[in-house]
Amino acid sequence: MHCSTPKTSASLDPALLRANFPIFGNHPDLIYFDNASTSQKPFVVLDEVCRYHTEQCANAGRAAYSWSTQLDRAIEDTRARVAKFIGANAEDLAFTSGATESLNMVALAWGLLNLQDGDEIMLCQRDHKSAVLPWYNLKDILATQGKTIHIKTFAIHEVGDYDLKSIKDQVSPRTRLLAMTHIHHVFGLDMEVAEIREIVGDRVLISLDASQSVGHIKVDVAALNVDFLSFSGHKMFATTGTGGLWVNPRVKDSLRPMKLGGKSEATPEAGGLNLKHKNTAELLEAGTQNIAGILSLGKAVDLIDSIGLDAIESHVSDLTVYLYGKLLNLPGIIFAPGMGICRCEAGFGIMSFRFEQISNLDLSFVLDEENIFVRSGDHCTYARDTSEEYIRVSMHLYNTKDEIDQLIAVLEGVVG
Ligand SMILES: Cc1ncc(COP(=O)(O)O)c(C=O)c1O
């Protein structure tokens, strides 16, 4: 796994940054440690949603009147900013309702059309269900067409990285795509995209779930050398119902739209639908988009850019190391795979653990009473039993060491 010290000493002041997020003014006692699920929203994002609805509410790009054309331009400008943020070209980025929609699109817009009888997909069942289930769904759909695809699974080692040997042993000439995660949402580790690309070679497509990396660390689609990259907007300060799917230009011509509607460039003809979309964005988006959400994502990206991803990564890593150092001394603690086991020098804001003395569900209720919000349970993965269920603390730029100290004080009271 990759978990070395971030390359930067750039810093930020979380106390100052908190002033950008009204939730902390409304709830001064709130300790929000569930950022891997969704982040809090800053004023700039909320103002943009309000501005759209109160000052210029119209549909985008459908009418010739000024508001509609201006909104269309604003969406395309946002697409360019978000694409630049991940090192991509705007035409290769489609806006979606979130990572779940993006990941399902990969299966349905690419897999449905391209997979043949006997083809294989590789995935890890300890990844998020949104990255796993679309392939089982597709397998069932293809079975109704008389095609059998095989899903080969690879495991996670005790420390939290993927079992690369099992990938190497199982990849075959029939492997068409490997689905994987960038930063794991429970274990908080960088899951080694480059090593996996090396193993599977260029022929196998890689679908990367970047829900916990985009907006947290620098993500560059070209450097990652993957084929699909899915991410959530709402985990990086935009409103819920926002996200994106980037498609590598090398596969764009093998896609079929998952949905079609008013703005789709498609005409029914005798021989079938004549699809005339210019690019991925046009191909994958149909119907009225979440205009307010998309505009809010642009504002979220601007805010992150103004703070600096290096500073965010460094701050969050610092918090993770600090949290680990404090948790280590608590009696009965059992760490999930991740920093707690591999003892990395740096982290990505996610730390999962449980205690011998109390179930993680009960512990989350105790913490809730202290206004400390953490996640408990299986975290949308296929945990084999409760020994694979954990409390997860997930942090972002506004979290502080003082909040960690308060968490530890409550934990000491329960298990100490
Ligand atoms: C790794 C991972 N993938 C996918 C998702 C689903 O994202 P969304 O809520 O944007 O659909 C999540 C959300 O928790 C996640 O952590």
Side-chain angles (χ1 to χ4, degrees):
M1 77 245 36
H2 298 169
C3 40
S4 54
T5 316
K7 310 84 11 219
T8 170
S9 57
S11 63
L12 56 75
D13 183 346
L16 263 182
L17 289 174
R18 285 169 88 85
N20 289 294
F21 293 81
I23 203 93
F24 298 118
N26 293 330
H27 301 279
D29 295 335
L30 170 68
I31 297 184
Y32 187 74
F33 280 149
D34 195 18
N35 292 282
S37 201
T38 200
S39 66
Q40 296 300 332
K41 316 303 174 204
F43 280 112
V44 282
V45 157
L46 301 169
D47 288 350
E48 186 64 6
V49 172
C50 187
R51 194 195 61 76
Y52 165 72
H53 287 113
T54 56
E55 292 178 24
Q56 201 180 27
C57 186
N59 213 326
R62 282 158 168 72
Y65 59 85
S66 54
W67 282 13
S68 183
T69 54
Q70 283 162 11
L71 280 167
D72 201 32
R73 280 201 295 277
I75 289 176
E76 292 318 310
D77 179 62
T78 303
R79 194 189 307 282
R81 272 148 56 219
V82 178
K84 185 161 174 257
F85 188 67
I86 56 168
N89 289 323
E91 60 183 26
D92 302 323
L93 174 69
F95 289 121
T96 64
S97 65
T100 300
E101 186 177 32
S102 308
L103 291 159
N104 276 273
M105 264 186 192
V106 179
L108 295 176
W110 175 79
L112 190 54
L113 188 67
N114 291 282
L115 290 178
Q116 303 304 329
D117 194 37
D119 280 347
E120 298 165 2
I121 298 293
M122 296 183 75
L123 55 81
C124 175
Q125 289 190 343
R126 297 297 298 279
D127 281 345
H128 197 284
K129 283 181 184 170
S130 296
V132 170
L133 289 178
W135 298 106
Y136 287 94
N137 185 37
L138 180 63
K139 181 178 159 74
D140 287 354
I141 294 172
L142 289 172
T144 66
Q145 302 172 1
K147 294 179 188 166
T148 303
I149 63 161
H150 304 286
I151 298 180
K152 290 182 166 174
T153 60
F154 48 93
I156 277 187
H157 285 135
E158 196 200 344
V159 287
D161 53 350
Y162 290 132
D163 179 352
L164 298 186
K165 180 169 180 316
S166 131
I167 296 177
K168 200 183 247 162
D169 290 347
Q170 294 191 79
V171 68
S172 87
R174 294 310 302 265
T175 310
R176 300 291 309 280
L177 179 141
L178 180 142
M180 64 173 292
T181 299
H182 194 190
I183 305 288
H184 199 277
H185 69 293
V186 189
F187 311 139
L189 295 177
D190 178 337
M191 303 300 278
E192 304 182 305
V193 191
E195 286 77 356
I196 289 178
R197 169 57 81 200
E198 180 87 31
I199 291 171
V200 301
D202 274 345
R203 186 189 52 79
V204 175
L205 303 186
I206 294 182
S207 171
L208 188 68
D209 180 351
S211 304
Q212 303 296 345
S213 54
V214 174
H216 300 70
I217 60 172
K218 231 180 199 103
V219 168
D220 177 0
V221 290
L224 284 168
N225 191 15
V226 295
D227 297 286
F228 301 99
L229 183 130
S230 301
F231 63 95
S232 296
H234 65 96
K235 296 185 201 296
M236 49 180 280
F237 314 125
T239 54
T240 51
T242 57
L245 173 62
W246 171 81
V247 177
N248 190 322
R250 80 168 176 148
V251 286
K252 74 175 189 342
D253 292 335
S254 56
L255 300 187
R256 174 109 192 164
M258 191 178 92
K259 52 186 181 178
L260 288 155
K263 268 191 80 185
S264 300
E265 295 296 335
T267 323
E269 291 176 2
L273 259 189
N274 182 4
L275 295 167
K276 293 171 285 194
H277 50 272
K278 287 196 297 290
N279 54 46
T280 298
E282 224 174 72
L283 171 82
L284 293 175
E285 293 175 11
T288 300
Q289 289 286 85
N290 178 0
I291 299 171
I294 290 169
L295 298 177
S296 87
L297 180 55
K299 294 292 176 186
V301 162
D302 294 347
L303 178 71
I304 293 171
D305 275 341
S306 72
I307 298 165
L309 270 170
D310 284 349
I312 294 172
E313 181 180 348
S314 170
H315 171 69
V316 169
S317 176
D318 197 27
L319 289 179
T320 322
V321 173
Y322 184 77
L323 172 63
Y324 170 58
K326 297 275 171 177
L327 287 172
L328 198 54
N329 302 318
L330 295 179
I333 190 152
I334 299 167
F335 285 105
M339 182 185 269
I341 309 270
C342 70
R343 293 160 190 250
C344 314
E345 297 163 17
F348 298 97
I350 295 174
M351 175 75 72
S352 301
F353 52 88
R354 64 191 170 86
F355 289 94
E356 283 164 1
Q357 303 91 317
I358 181 168
S359 81
N360 66 69
L361 186 60
D362 286 346
L363 183 54
S364 78
F365 290 142
V366 174
L367 292 169
D368 179 36
E369 279 174 12
E370 303 295 329
N371 296 315
I372 301 176
F373 294 173
V374 298
R375 186 75 183 269
S376 58
D378 64 8
H379 308 285
C380 304
T381 66
Y382 286 104
R384 276 170 300 199
D385 53 49
T386 50
S387 72
E388 289 183 344
E389 294 186 353
Y390 302 101
I391 290 283
R392 178 184 69 192
V393 172
S394 55
M395 301 173 285
H396 216 316
L397 56 85
Y398 33 63
N399 290 117
T400 64
K401 288 184 179 166
D402 180 55
E403 289 178 322
I404 293 174
D405 290 342
Q406 292 183 57
L407 166 74
I408 298 295
V410 178
L411 293 178
E412 278 168 350
V414 177
V415 299

